[in-house]
Amino acid sequence: MSYEKELAAAKKAVSLAARLSQGVQKTLFQSEVWTKSDRTPVTAADFGSQALVSIVLERELQPATFSLVAEEETGELRKQGSEVFLEGITKLVKDTLASEESYADSPPLSTEDVLNAIDCGKSEGGCSGYHWVLDPIDGTRGFVRGEQYAVGLALLVEGKVVLGVMACPNLPLASAVGETDMSSKENVGCLFFATAGLGAYVQPVEGHSLPQKVRVSSNENLEEAKFLESYHKPIPIHSSIAEKLGITALPVRMDSQAKYAAVSRGDAEIYLRFTLCGHRETIWDHAPGFIITTGK
């Protein structure tokens, strides 16, 4: 099965979510960053992105049943005192949908519509049927700093990943790994996508340029190899591994699953990830971007 319709819907949903997030990042103030119960940050872009993806997938695919496993929930948004924040999210979603020509004549959304769209992400998934898995803003800390982040979406069918789409709005269209500020380039904004068995591709997140196939690096000279690691405190074992392999270049630190995208197109040869002691791993630490690393 080719999943062409599902892939087209996913690309449209993720592209619109990227459009919304780019607008938020440009005007984000620290006072607009909330802290969740697990002490991780969340912004209007996280909620708005999740609502948008939910709405677009349902409109485009009109499934008999719709299962979305996503990160955000509306508990805090429904509490008294959140009205202004919620109104802002609703406006973001409405304005972004209105910017898409095919949705120009759609009925206007209410705040409750947006809340319900976010709550569509409460599915528990499972090993049977169709399940979408979404990280609406992966790398929120990088997003808040104005750096790298990603919007990641995957489709699981009978427990297997069959397609993945990931937008990296601040990732340059041409490799810039190793440069100090990768978000300072003019030509930025990548949309990566892959269908199982058909390779991985990239195209600009905005515009109509033809997709280009991505391939992992063929560099076998470890002394020249570039390796990526997460934008956390340095992890000693990473330096130890690099030394044993003979890698002389300093690691490039980057937030989000944009690292997977960078490796998939040959920007770097290695991505090291060893969990810090006490760090709680979740599905969002690994999915859905890992399918993108299969581009050969």
Side-chain angles (χ1 to χ4, degrees), residues 166 257-264 271 273 285-286 289-290 292-293:
M166 183 162 62
Q257 295 177 57
K259 295 183 290 291
Y260 293 103
V263 172
S264 78
Y271 166 35
R273 183 186 181 90
D285 291 312
H286 301 288
F290 72 90
I292 302 301
T293 66

Side-chain angles (χ1 to χ4, degrees), residues 220-233:
E220 297 182 0
N221 185 351
L222 287 177
E223 290 186 1
E224 298 177 357
K226 296 181 287 292
F227 79 90
L228 305 175
E229 62 181 5
S230 296
Y231 208 113
H232 302 301
K233 293 180 180 178

Side-chain angles (χ1 to χ4, degrees), residues 12-194:
K12 186 172 187 177
V14 170
S15 294
L16 285 174
R19 188 180 301 174
L20 179 149
S21 65
Q22 285 175 307
V24 173
Q25 193 181 47
K26 289 176 182 177
T27 60
L28 186 68
F29 294 101
Q30 194 63 39
S31 60
E32 297 172 323
V33 181
W34 285 19
T35 301
K36 296 190 287 188
S37 58
D38 62 359
R39 292 183 293 180
T40 58
V42 64
T43 70
D46 296 79
F47 292 112
S49 175
Q50 185 161 315
L52 262 178
V53 170
S54 173
I55 291 167
V56 173
L57 289 179
E58 288 212 79
R59 286 185 180 183
E60 295 296 315
L61 300 175
Q62 299 180 353
T65 58
F66 181 62
S67 172
L68 176 66
V69 183
E71 186 172 11
E72 307 305 339
E73 53 186 40
T74 63
E76 294 297 322
L77 291 178
R78 294 181 184 273
K79 290 182 179 179
Q80 187 173 2
S82 303
E83 293 84 1
V84 174
F85 189 50
L86 179 55
E87 287 174 8
I89 294 168
T90 302
K91 185 176 187 305
L92 283 169
V93 175
K94 290 169 66 174
D95 289 350
T96 306
L97 286 172
S99 71
E100 174 61 31
E101 187 176 350
S102 60
Y103 296 148
D105 297 324
S106 299
L109 295 173
S110 66
T111 296
E112 192 62 29
D113 290 332
V114 171
L115 287 169
N116 290 337
I118 296 170
D119 279 339
C120 276
K122 290 181 176 180
S123 172
E124 295 183 358
C127 294
S128 62
Y130 281 54
H131 304 285
W132 293 94
V133 181
L134 169 70
D135 193 338
I137 298 289
D138 180 58
T140 302
R141 289 186 176 89
F143 176 82
V144 170
R145 291 197 304 269
E147 297 174 8
Q148 296 299 328
Y149 68 98
V151 181
L153 178 66
L155 175 62
L156 280 70
V157 177
E158 306 304 329
K160 296 181 179 180
V161 180
V162 298
L163 69 85
V165 178
M166 183 162 62
C168 302
N170 285 340
L171 194 68
L173 295 172
S175 173
V177 167
E179 296 190 14
T180 304
D181 183 5
M182 287 187 292
S183 63
S184 65
K185 299 287 184 178
E186 292 183 3
N187 297 319
V188 299
C190 299
L191 184 71
F192 292 83
F193 60 94

Side-chain angles (χ1 to χ4, degrees), residues 231-255:
Y231 208 113
H232 302 301
K233 293 180 180 178
I235 300 178
I237 194 173
H238 287 184
S239 299
S240 176
I241 291 172
E243 183 177 352
K244 289 180 184 295
L245 291 174
I247 298 173
T248 57
L250 293 174
V252 178
R253 296 194 177 100
M254 189 189 303
D255 288 286

